Amino acid sequence: MEDLIQRAAEDLIKARYRIALTGAGISTESGIPDFRGPDGIWTKNPEAEMKAYELYNQFKADPKGYWEERLDPQGSISRLFSILGVIGEAQPNPGHHALAELEKMGILNCIITQNVDGLHQKAGSKNVIEYHGGINKFRCMVCNRRFGKDELNLEKIKMEGKLPPYCQCGGVIKDDGVFFGEPIPSDVLGRSQKEAWKCDLMLICGTSAVVYPFASLPEMANPATTIIEINAEPTPLTGRISDYLIQGKTGEILPKIAERVKKI
Ligand SMILES: [Zn+2]
């Protein structure tokens, strides 16, 4: 294990453009429950999961109705969002902080995350692509502009009877989180592909990367790209796509790698 940590630190330093792909594994260490495990969010709230499956079609068919229900405290959409609220309140763990530190040292160029919790940004990472959107943000469905919670006064828009909210470009605004059945936003898809093509080192942290289209990112990388996996268990990438697996918790391994990079 120590040998692999040394090897990863040396590979990171040698590489010219390094990106990290992160998934649920890095967030569960911040106490965020998974979705389908025994204590998973959907396992414990099957009616919320059913609602989550309907959301995208509901939004497309009737954005005004969607927003009215979303802002109605008794409505099933606000109930779903309050169940998901635990995700937005979590705090970053040592794994997030180590990646932010590597970026500051100029050793990590970009993070592409499947997580919607915003924990990389909370830890201080700057160049983060949120593949599935962010839970505390909104997005224009036409120009893809993102809006923070404080940029959009939803209660005021509701009071004035102007729902759904519209972007300056005229596009209707939706929650940024990518719903079931919703395509990945085009800007995110394009930027992620470019990063995957460009990198000569890819760190895969806390994800088995089996859900497409995210799973296509490791496959898009140049064959010469060094792919390092940090996961609790071997995954379908192990021995096929990744050059080596450092098995264990991202919250323990990433800080060790960052420490080692500093010493070299
Ligand atoms: Zn717009």
Side-chain angles (χ1 to χ4, degrees):
M1 164 98 118
E2 289 306 312
D3 287 353
L4 288 177
I5 285 168
Q6 178 71 23
R7 183 175 166 191
E10 285 170 9
D11 283 343
L12 274 164
I13 290 168
K14 250 189 298 172
R16 276 180 304 189
Y17 196 88
R18 316 87 169 164
I19 71 170
L21 308 188
T22 69
I26 194 166
S27 288
T28 48
E29 292 172 39
S30 282
I32 292 182
D34 60 13
F35 282 93
R36 295 204 165 85
D39 283 321
I41 293 175
W42 297 149
T43 314
K44 286 164 94 179
N45 304 283
E47 73 300 333
E49 181 181 15
M50 269 168 56
K51 186 71 204 173
Y53 274 101
E54 292 166 8
L55 279 189
Y56 187 54
N57 282 335
Q58 184 180 350
F59 180 85
K60 270 196 309 186
D62 178 15
K64 183 179 166 68
Y66 168 89
W67 275 107
E68 282 170 353
E69 197 181 328
R70 167 89 166 82
L71 298 175
D72 170 7
Q74 310 303 326
S76 53
I77 300 181
S78 44
R79 188 173 137 62
L80 168 63
F81 274 87
S82 71
I83 289 168
L84 297 175
V86 52
I87 297 174
E89 286 156 18
Q91 292 305 318
N93 65 59
H96 297 105
H97 288 296
L99 290 179
E101 207 183 345
L102 286 170
E103 185 186 31
K104 246 178 247 154
M105 289 190 265
I107 291 292
L108 186 65
N109 302 90
C110 179
I111 295 173
I112 307 172
T113 186
Q114 289 173 293
N115 304 330
V116 297
D117 48 43
L119 290 180
H120 289 299
Q121 294 92 328
K122 273 191 194 169
S125 290
K126 301 280 181 252
N127 194 16
V128 181
I129 300 174
E130 293 180 300
Y131 205 77
H132 294 144
I135 192 141
N136 287 324
K137 284 187 219 160
F138 307 96
R139 165 167 43 93
C140 169
M141 296 301 277
V142 173
C143 73
N144 285 324
R145 181 176 161 190
R146 306 308 194 278
F147 298 84
K149 268 188 163 171
D150 43 3
E151 290 175 273
L152 214 56
N153 192 339
L154 290 166
E155 283 307 319
K156 181 164 173 264
I157 296 170
K158 180 184 162 185
M159 296 279 281
E160 291 170 348
K162 289 181 181 162
L163 289 174
Y166 283 97
C167 174
Q168 285 85 335
C169 83
V172 67
I173 293 174
K174 179 191 157 290
D175 283 285
D176 184 36
V178 174
F179 293 166
F180 288 120
E182 181 183 354
I184 303 298
S186 54
D187 59 339
V188 163
L189 210 54
R191 280 179 66 203
S192 303
Q193 284 173 352
K194 273 191 203 132
E195 294 289 342
W197 283 327
K198 191 172 167 186
C199 71
D200 59 352
L201 186 142
M202 187 183 277
L203 268 182
I204 300 180
C205 313
T207 175
S208 52
V210 288
V211 179
Y212 281 89
F214 190 82
S216 62
L217 294 172
E219 293 165 1
M220 266 178 213
N222 186 306
T225 296
T226 304
I227 301 185
I228 308 169
E229 211 187 327
I230 303 170
N231 273 317
E233 301 292 339
T235 71
L237 303 169
T238 314
R240 190 176 62 93
I241 301 270
S242 64
D243 289 278
Y244 52 100
L245 162 71
I246 311 180
Q247 198 170 344
K249 289 185 171 175
T250 49
E252 288 167 12
I253 293 167
L254 287 169
K256 284 187 186 167
I257 293 175
E259 237 1 83
R260 202 63 65 89
V261 166
K262 260 190 251 169
K263 282 187 191 145
I264 297 176

